[in-house]
Amino acid sequence: METTPARERILARIRRQQHRDEGQRPAEEREADEWLQRHPRGPLPALGAAPIERFREMAQRMQTTLDEVATWDEAPAAVARYLAAHGLPPAAVAYDNLQHLRWLEAGLAVEHRPPRDEDLVSITDCFCAVAETGSLVFATSPSTWATAHLLPETHIVLLDARRIVSHQEDAFDLMRTELGEIPRGFNTVSGPSRTGDIEQTIVLGAHGPYRVHVVIVRTQG
């Protein structure tokens, strides 16, 4: 027998305690949507540069490393150069939607599956990137696994330059436009994982990758 999700049970209990009729819910949701549509944004900071340049500046501040290629066809070779420069094996796991790239021609053994504990490198794209903060935004789905940007020590992101938005609010708007809603699972990643819990000393890789490398792809190819 199908059970009511925990979230729905909690919300239903809150409505009962507030003496609100369950039948009011659709009207309340419509009212909230209408408010969001007409409510203006708050003040947004000026970037002071083109979005791609601001993204590069802010990403580097967060200890993300960057490369740039002209077309998607050049991306595998850029990944291979990065792995060789860091003494990493020419092997990785990658999102399903990157299967069309010519990994073998670049000398890379790439498996398209979720990462396991022993996998050192993951390769993904991202939903978009935010110039204001230098952050990468991931919308998880059955084929874009959150573990790919959380588990391996090295995370390489192929970023379509056209997917760089100015502000975080633009990322939310893009989700609503392209996905219909903000997905239940999305992550905003700003550089390698870090913590300062121990003696206020920043340590990379405490809760995720300690290397984040972005290959910006300028055009389709």
Side-chain angles (χ1 to χ4, degrees), residues 82-154:
Y82 176 82
L83 295 179
H86 289 81
L88 293 166
V93 295
Y95 279 171
D96 283 342
N97 62 349
L98 300 178
Q99 291 191 44
H100 67 285
L101 296 176
R102 299 170 180 171
W103 300 110
L104 281 176
E105 290 183 16
L108 299 175
V110 174
E111 297 181 52
H112 300 275
R113 58 167 174 79
R116 297 188 287 260
D117 287 346
E118 64 270 20
D119 292 313
L120 299 178
V121 179
S122 66
I123 306 169
T124 73
D125 60 4
C126 63
F127 180 77
C128 67
V130 180
E132 177 186 0
T133 59
S135 302
L136 304 163
V137 179
F138 298 89
T140 58
S141 73
S143 60
T144 55
W145 321 284
T147 50
H149 59 264
L150 295 173
L151 186 58
E153 294 177 347
T154 299

Side-chain angles (χ1 to χ4, degrees), residues 55 62 126-131 133-140 149-150 155 167-169 171-172 175 182 185-192:
F55 172 78
M62 301 300 295
C126 63
F127 180 77
C128 67
V130 180
T133 59
S135 302
L136 304 163
V137 179
F138 298 89
T140 58
H149 59 264
L150 295 173
H155 180 203
H167 302 95
Q168 185 70 46
E169 290 86 345
F172 293 142
M175 287 180 186
I182 296 177
F186 80 90
N187 299 91
T188 300
V189 174
S190 301

